[in-house]
Amino acid sequence: MYVFDAPAQPSLAVQGSEDRFPIRRIFCVGRNYEAHAREMGKDPTREAPFFFTKPADAALDTPCTIAYPKLTENLHHEIELVIAIGKEGSDIAEDEVMNHVWGAAVGLDMTRRDLQTEAKNAGRPWDWGKAFDQSAPIGAIKPIGDVPSISEGRIWLAVNGETRQDADLSDLIWSVREHVATLSRAMHLRPGDLVMTGTPAGVGSVGPGDVITGGVEGIGELEVKIGPRA
Ligand code: MN
């Protein structure tokens, strides 16, 4: 018995199914597109991939409306390919990674950019900038057998119909095989783990009333409305 009702298992929709994908953890790759590294003021040399996390219950199905989060005056959109892990493993070889991938989706790594910048400058953790409530709206997961490619295909985002991010998965600095292999050397990956693989250039702010649309070619699309302040 628990001392109070256990929280609901966070989960995401699956394309073409009533079944849902239970989420265990959400890992995110930092600065994984050259042009985005540049717009963040970083040298786009091939630094080793690095990661941060969001809580599993930061994820929510799309279409959805999210509250404009607390404490920020600069809420940014980051469109990302999301990889869903379906088989456990650690020290996974690059050519074995796809045997651990259950599916793929498109998601948003919503970011309180002002708090992230403040944390970076102070040498503090990024959590307040990245790991807040409703910070990971994610479209329905497509089973990997139906996914044409996780290494090429257009990735794009528009705000109120105006395109802001437009790139290709082939622009990833660290491919899915490379960064999932790297992640598996640090953590024992488990079914339900998600990996948000980084965002291309063109990040920018959104406010209450804005509508974000986006997608990854061959994988899925999403729509997220920004609601009133929380
Ligand atoms: Mn990101």
Side-chain angles (χ1 to χ4, degrees):
M1 285 295 287
Y2 295 111
V3 296
F4 49 80
D5 289 342
Q9 168 66 52
S11 65
L12 288 169
V14 171
Q15 291 182 31
S17 173
E18 295 296 305
D19 294 341
R20 296 185 60 83
F21 182 93
I23 306 170
R24 186 163 187 270
R25 296 174 291 190
I26 304 175
F27 298 101
C28 306
V29 185
R31 292 193 292 267
N32 203 19
Y33 289 80
E34 189 174 319
H36 175 63
R38 280 185 208 282
E39 76 180 351
M40 290 288 105
K42 293 294 176 184
D43 181 1
T45 50
R46 212 163 182 255
E47 60 180 346
F50 68 95
F51 301 87
F52 58 92
T53 61
K54 291 176 186 269
D57 65 2
L60 68 173
D61 288 319
T62 64
C64 64
T65 299
I66 63 171
Y68 191 93
K70 297 172 185 294
L71 298 182
T72 186
E73 297 301 327
N74 195 15
L75 176 66
H76 270 206
H77 55 76
E78 296 192 355
I79 192 80
E80 310 204 357
L81 167 69
V82 181
I83 294 297
I85 301 294
K87 181 185 165 192
E88 70 168 312
S90 55
D91 298 320
I92 302 168
E94 285 178 23
D95 60 9
E96 286 290 319
V97 162
M98 292 314 294
N99 296 330
H100 295 261
V101 173
W102 191 90
V106 58
L108 285 172
D109 168 15
M110 296 304 293
T111 302
R112 295 191 288 202
R113 191 71 73 199
D114 42 2
L115 298 192
Q116 185 201 20
T117 303
E118 202 176 294
K120 275 183 190 173
N121 292 342
R124 290 177 185 156
W126 286 11
D127 303 48
W128 262 218
K130 290 289 196 179
F132 53 94
D133 296 341
Q134 301 186 314
S135 61
I138 298 175
I141 299 175
K142 190 170 200 175
I144 199 66
D146 299 332
V147 171
S149 175
I150 46 107
S151 56
E152 58 183 18
R154 184 181 179 223
I155 178 169
W156 61 276
L157 175 144
V159 177
N160 304 327
E162 184 180 319
T163 301
R164 292 209 186 159
Q165 294 186 271
D166 198 352
D168 196 280
L169 297 179
S170 59
D171 299 331
L172 280 166
I173 295 173
W174 295 96
S175 70
V176 170
R177 287 173 183 79
E178 290 170 325
H179 65 65
V180 171
T182 300
L183 181 59
S184 79
R185 293 197 286 273
M187 301 282 180
H188 189 92
L189 297 183
R190 303 273 183 190
D193 287 339
L194 298 177
V195 185
M196 303 190 75
T197 65
T199 199
V203 299
S205 64
V206 286
D210 284 341
V211 177
I212 299 170
T213 50
V216 177
E217 184 183 354
I219 291 176
E221 296 193 352
L222 57 68
E223 180 176 312
V224 175
K225 184 173 181 183
I226 310 299
R229 284 173 182 270

